[in-house]
Every structure is written in structure tokens, then in C-alpha cells.
């Protein structure tokens, strides 16, 4: 349970950094307080975790020939698509998280991957 909470908080921090850096990723609409932003980013991190847990393995399985053909570079595209799917699901759940296109999703997924990797290195899972 502690690992799940830690991974969710790491994903939340990574999503927050991506929304702060990439202009095409909006975390909230308008000027809201930090409590609303915090709750929103944690909820989006939960949605992101569910999308990565349920959908990503199926997509990876069906795109296995593309992994071989592109030497794994298709992973960046799949991560961007998972971020777009998270944006769509967040919109359906009335969360204030929007990704405006594929290029911001690609940049955001790269930033999320780097930040979460760095935080996983800094924080021990045990």
C-alpha cells in the first residue's frame, strides 16, 4: 500500500512539473488556490496510474512489431497517447486537466518520465 501511495505522489509531482513546463498542458482552468490544484493533480495521477496499468500493456502487446522495427522509440509515442487518454478520461471525470495536442503530450510524457525516474531514484520504494 505504501508503494502505491508513493508511486501516485511521484506521478502527481511529475504531472505537476510537466504542466508547469509545457504550455499545452493545463492543470486547472483559471486562477484557483493551491488546495484545488493539489487535489486535481493527485486525482489525475490516479487516473494516469489506472490508464498505465490497464491500457498500456495491451497497447504494448499489439505494437510489439513496431517496438522491434523502431528499436523501442515507439515507446515515446505510446507514452504520449497514454497522456492524451488520461486527459480525455480526466475530462470525462470533470477534472481540470487538459492536453491540447500530440506535441505537448509527447513533451509532457518525456518530462513525466524523467521526473518520475529521478524521484524513484531519490526515494527508495522500501
Amino acid at each position: 500500500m505504501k508503494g502505491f501511495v508513493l508511486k501516485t505522489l511521484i506521478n502527481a509531482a511529475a504531472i505537476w512539473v510537466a504542466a508547469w513546463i509545457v504550455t499545452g498542458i493545463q492543470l486547472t482552468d483559471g486562477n484557483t488556490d493551491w488546495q484545488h490544484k493539489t487535489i486535481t493533480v493527485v486525482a489525475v495521477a490516479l487516473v494516469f496510474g489506472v490508464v498505465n496499468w490497464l491500457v498500456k500493456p495491451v497497447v504494448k502487446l499489439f505494437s510489439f512489431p513496431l517496438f522491434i522495427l523502431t528499436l523501442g522509440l515507439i515507446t515515446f509515442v505510446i507514452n504520449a497517447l497514454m497522456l492524451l487518454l488520461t486527459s480525455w478520461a480526466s475530462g470525462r471525470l470533470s477534472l481540470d486537466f487538459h492536453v491540447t495536442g500530440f506535441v505537448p503530450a509527447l513533451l509532457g510524457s518525456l518530462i513525466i518520465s524523467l521526473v518520475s525516474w529521478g524521484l524513484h531514484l531519490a526515494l527508495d520504494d522500501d
Side-chain angles (χ1 to χ4, degrees), residues 4-54:
F4 171 75
V5 172
L6 183 65
K7 287 183 182 184
T8 302
L9 291 176
I10 287 173
N11 277 339
I15 291 169
W16 200 322
V17 169
W20 178 54
I21 293 174
V22 180
T23 57
I25 300 176
Q26 296 176 341
L27 188 54
T28 56
D29 293 331
N31 293 328
T32 57
D33 55 348
W34 66 272
Q35 291 98 349
H36 184 282
K37 287 183 182 181
T38 304
I39 292 170
T40 300
V41 77
V42 169
V44 169
L46 286 171
V47 171
F48 187 65
V50 168
V51 165
N52 281 332
W53 180 64
L54 286 176

Side-chain angles (χ1 to χ4, degrees), residues 83-98:
L83 191 60
L84 284 172
L85 185 60
T86 301
S87 173
W88 176 81
S90 297
R92 302 292 275 173
L93 294 171
S94 299
L95 297 173
D96 294 330
F97 178 72
H98 306 288

Side-chain angles (χ1 to χ4, degrees), residues 63-68 70-80:
S63 63
F64 184 70
L66 289 174
F67 274 96
I68 295 170
T70 64
L71 302 175
L73 292 177
I74 194 71
T75 305
F76 296 124
V77 174
I78 291 173
N79 288 343

